[in-house]
Amino acid sequence: MDTDQQPDLKDRPARLTVGVVGAGRVGPALAASLQLAGHHPAAVSAVSDASRRRAALLLPDVPVVPPAEVLRRADLVLLTVPDDTLPGLVAGLAETGAVRPGQLLVHTSGRYGTRVLDPALRAGALPLALHPAMTFTGSPVDVQRLAGCSFGVTAPEELRLAAEALVIEMGGEPEWVDEEKRPLYHAALALGSNHLVTLVAQSMELLRAAGVEAPDRMLGPLLGASLDNALRSGDAALTGPVARGDAGTVAAHVAELRKHAPQSLAGYLAMARATADRALAHGLLKPELAEDLLGVLADGRDGRDGGDGTDLTGNGEDR
């Protein structure tokens, strides 16, 4: 990175004017946290009614202006737009001359490092990738949740201190991620967080179908304990019928899901197979039990017999 034409960060004022391009759930919360640290939100861009409401809620009295005007008013610009939108946005801002030399340009995409900001870098911007590893609601609670939140950080060597300082000011903890590892890093977070929401929502639906009046109250302690055990012990925390090799129980699950919640069956089978593989690899699932279990899972995928005499196609009677 060529910084010959760029001002030294030591010459910057301690407090920065902050702009937000994209008032989704993330940008206003980050700007509000920077405001608590003494920085000054100066402008935000928002298109939809929902984004305007979020901006008004989290950044009251901050003017809503077009993206180019946000860059004109801000020393530090947060680009908080969807991943697929980011490259085109950066290119457009650079081509129209909106980027100023010495301007800190920060994106919050998990997928990308700083290379996506190359068009702005050539215009003299200082590029940072700061991705908060947290889900956002678009409400003030997000600002509180940033305390202790890990940020996936990618930055040029000469900007590492600046990146670290910004994350700490937002209440977070920096975790350095290499440019080439950003997609893998982001896939890991999506697997653990986004898919967890789907699994929990499906579990709640099934409990309601089973007659449980308060599935959230039932799942809360169980999921809390499972998460804590998994974070502490990894694969050693595996439990349940798959890890034990209870092929008959798993076959009964498959039959019930096919009958009452076929939309959840594919996910159950995929996760059960992944669980069986990990339990077997770590010595939790006995090899002599794994064969029958994996047979049940394969049969369930093909819509055949579940291994306990149950017709998984739903077209016949139990044998």
Side-chain angles (χ1 to χ4, degrees), residues 91-108:
L93 292 172
E95 288 171 2
T96 57
V99 179
R100 292 187 283 109
Q103 193 168 45
L104 280 165
L105 210 57
V106 178
H107 79 71
T108 58

Side-chain angles (χ1 to χ4, degrees), residues 163-179:
E164 184 177 59
L166 286 172
V167 169
I168 291 172
E169 285 191 317
M170 287 186 282
E173 295 286 341
E175 289 285 346
W176 300 99
V177 182
D178 291 341
E179 179 85 28

Side-chain angles (χ1 to χ4, degrees), residues 61-269:
D61 302 322
V62 174
V64 177
V65 298
E69 181 64 15
V70 172
L71 270 70
R72 191 186 72 80
R73 300 187 184 194
D75 303 311
L76 165 64
V77 180
L78 302 173
L79 303 179
T80 52
V81 298
D83 290 359
D84 288 350
T85 303
L86 182 60
L89 172 67
V90 174
L93 292 172
E95 288 171 2
T96 57
V99 179
R100 292 187 283 109
Q103 193 168 45
L104 280 165
L105 210 57
V106 178
H107 79 71
T108 58
S109 166
R111 170 185 171 186
Y112 293 108
T114 57
R115 202 167 293 150
V116 71
L117 298 174
D118 278 354
L121 171 63
R122 290 190 289 271
L126 306 178
L128 301 175
L130 309 179
H131 175 252
M134 188 184 80
T135 58
F136 287 78
T137 64
S139 68
V141 71
D142 295 334
V143 180
Q144 302 170 19
R145 288 179 175 174
L146 284 171
C149 169
S150 291
F151 279 66
V153 179
T154 304
E157 186 64 32
E158 58 269 37
L159 294 178
R160 284 173 69 95
L161 289 178
E164 184 177 59
L166 286 172
V167 169
I168 291 172
E169 285 191 317
M170 287 186 282
E173 295 286 341
E175 289 285 346
W176 300 99
V177 182
D178 291 341
E179 179 85 28
E180 293 74 18
K181 297 294 180 64
R182 292 288 293 205
L184 179 61
Y185 152 82
H186 196 221
L189 295 180
L191 184 65
S193 176
N194 303 155
H195 297 174
L196 175 63
V197 174
T198 301
L199 290 173
V200 173
Q202 287 182 339
S203 181
M204 290 175 64
E205 289 176 353
L206 294 173
L207 285 172
R208 290 191 189 97
V212 175
E213 294 184 359
D216 54 342
R217 188 171 64 226
M218 176 175 284
L219 284 174
L222 174 64
L223 296 181
S226 296
L227 177 59
D228 184 65
N229 291 342
L231 292 175
R232 290 174 182 271
S233 305
D235 288 300
L238 285 172
T239 186
V242 173
R244 291 192 299 266
D246 292 341
T249 298
V250 172
H253 291 176
V254 171
E256 287 300 298
L257 290 173
R258 188 173 294 281
K259 185 186 304 181
H260 298 291
Q263 72 280 3
S264 298
L265 180 58
Y268 178 94
L269 290 169

